[in-house]
């Protein structure tokens, strides 16, 4: 079983739509969780941290459910510029463990 | 602040040659640098962790004699892919952690795309 699992997508949505991604992790001892964004052929960039209490940054909301071991990312009012691959990341044993990513395509 | 550069950004080489990739922290001292590899449509996989002045720690399944890592200064780490083969073709990304910083807080370089013919 992969340490971090994501639906690869792609998720095709129109501009203005709301879209949600989920991610599951296997290491119950994981301490911290993040969402990264990766554009094609580029390095990953930190989007936001994920907390049990929820974390909102503008149009983006992240949530952690420790009991079920999953993490979610909600994007409201999608923009064309949101098209990218979203990587779920957990920290285990002092290293970042990346999921394979979920691809989002926002169309006009 | 916290800019990390990589050089070269892209390299194409013949099978059997060695390729060196440089990772530099431009405006901070990086006590720890990480090397990742990403194959198409796959996740970033940590290859090794290097601390300045000491030997790198390699992840399981990564050949240390094939992927030589040197972290001789607080701003430079190099990864040398020795005797590269087509299956080594991948996107290699480094990241750096500031001295005293959390291991969660890594600053990524722009990556190096290696193609072995």
């Amino acid at each position: 079983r992969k340490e971090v699992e994501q639906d690869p997508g792609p998720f095709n949505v129109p501009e203005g739509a709301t879209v949600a991604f989920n991610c599951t992790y296997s290491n119950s001892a994981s301490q911290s969780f993040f969402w990264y964004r990766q554009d094609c052929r580029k390095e990953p960039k930190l989007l936001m941290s994920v907390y049990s209490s929820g974390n909102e940054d503008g149009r983006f909301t992240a949530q952690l459910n420790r009991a079920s071991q999953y993490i979610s990312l909600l994007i409201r009012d999608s923009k064309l510029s949101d098209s990218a691959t979203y990587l779920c990341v957990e920290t285990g044993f002092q290293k970042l463990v990346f999921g394979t990513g979920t691809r989002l395509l926002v169309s006009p | 602040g916290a800019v990390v550069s990589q050089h070269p950004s892209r390299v194409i080489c013949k099978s059997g040659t060695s390729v060196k990739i440089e990772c530099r922290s431009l405006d901070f001292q990086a006590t720890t640098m990480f090397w990742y590899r990403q194959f198409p449509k796959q996740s970033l996989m940590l290859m090794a962790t290097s601390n300045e002045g000491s030997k790198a720690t390699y992840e399981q399944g990564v050949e240390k004699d094939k992927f030589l890592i040197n972290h001789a200064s607080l701003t430079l780490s190099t990864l040398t892919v020795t005797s590269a083969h087509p299956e080594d073709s991948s996107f290699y990304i480094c990241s750096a952690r500031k001295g005293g910083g959390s291991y969660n807080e890594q600053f990524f370089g722009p990556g190096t795309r290696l193609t072995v013919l």
Side-chain angles (χ1 to χ4, degrees):
Chain A
R1 182 183 173 186
K2 292 181 182 177
E3 293 176 84
V4 179
E5 294 205 53
Q6 296 182 251
D7 180 344
F11 284 56
N12 291 286
V13 302
E15 267 188 294
T18 295
V19 62
F21 309 134
N22 286 333
C23 159
T24 59
Y25 62 95
S26 60
N27 182 6
S28 59
S30 294
Q31 296 294 311
S32 305
F33 304 87
F34 307 91
W35 282 101
Y36 277 73
R37 170 193 171 129
Q38 186 176 27
D39 292 288
C40 189
R41 295 175 176 266
K42 300 285 187 181
E43 76 276 22
K45 294 186 178 178
L46 179 64
L47 182 64
M48 59 197 308
S49 302
V50 189
Y51 307 114
S52 297
S53 56
N55 186 20
E56 187 172 320
D57 184 3
R59 298 182 292 110
F60 299 83
T61 301
Q63 189 78 47
L64 165 64
N65 184 319
R66 283 194 181 274
S68 302
Q69 294 185 203
Y70 81 79
I71 302 148
S72 64
L73 176 67
L74 181 76
I75 304 175
R76 291 179 297 277
D77 189 22
S78 298
K79 310 291 184 190
L80 295 176
S81 57
D82 293 335
S83 296
T85 297
Y86 291 84
L87 306 172
C88 176
V89 180
E90 61 102 356
T91 57
F93 308 109
Q94 298 196 11
K95 62 181 183 180
L96 299 181
V97 180
F98 288 81
T100 53
T102 297
R103 192 170 175 209
L104 172 64
L105 299 173
V106 182
S107 55
Chain B
V3 178
V4 176
S5 70
Q6 275 185 247
H7 177 79
S9 59
R10 184 171 184 175
V11 59
I12 301 172
C13 69
K14 292 182 179 179
S15 184
T17 59
S18 293
V19 175
K20 180 185 283 188
I21 303 169
E22 292 185 350
C23 176
R24 294 181 186 272
S25 56
L26 299 185
D27 51 2
F28 66 98
Q29 293 187 329
T31 52
T32 306
M33 287 186 170
F34 305 86
W35 287 96
Y36 295 84
R37 179 170 55 181
Q38 186 178 31
F39 293 107
K41 298 188 178 182
Q42 295 188 24
S43 59
L44 274 78
M45 296 297 295
L46 180 65
M47 299 175 68
T49 302
S50 74
N51 292 296
E52 185 264 338
S54 61
K55 290 184 179 180
T57 301
Y58 290 81
E59 294 298 303
Q60 191 173 10
V62 179
E63 300 174 57
K64 62 179 181 180
D65 294 328
K66 180 170 180 64
F67 299 99
L68 302 179
I69 293 172
N70 184 288
H71 191 166
S73 79
L74 285 172
T75 59
L76 172 65
S77 176
T78 61
L79 167 68
T80 301
V81 183
T82 61
S83 186
H85 291 284
E87 59 265 28
D88 298 322
S89 298
S90 187
F91 190 45
Y92 291 86
I93 307 174
C94 73
S95 71
R97 188 180 84 193
K98 292 182 179 179
S102 166
Y103 67 89
N104 298 339
E105 194 175 17
Q106 297 180 25
F107 302 95
F108 286 84
T112 297
R113 191 160 300 279
L114 170 64
T115 303
V116 184
L117 303 176

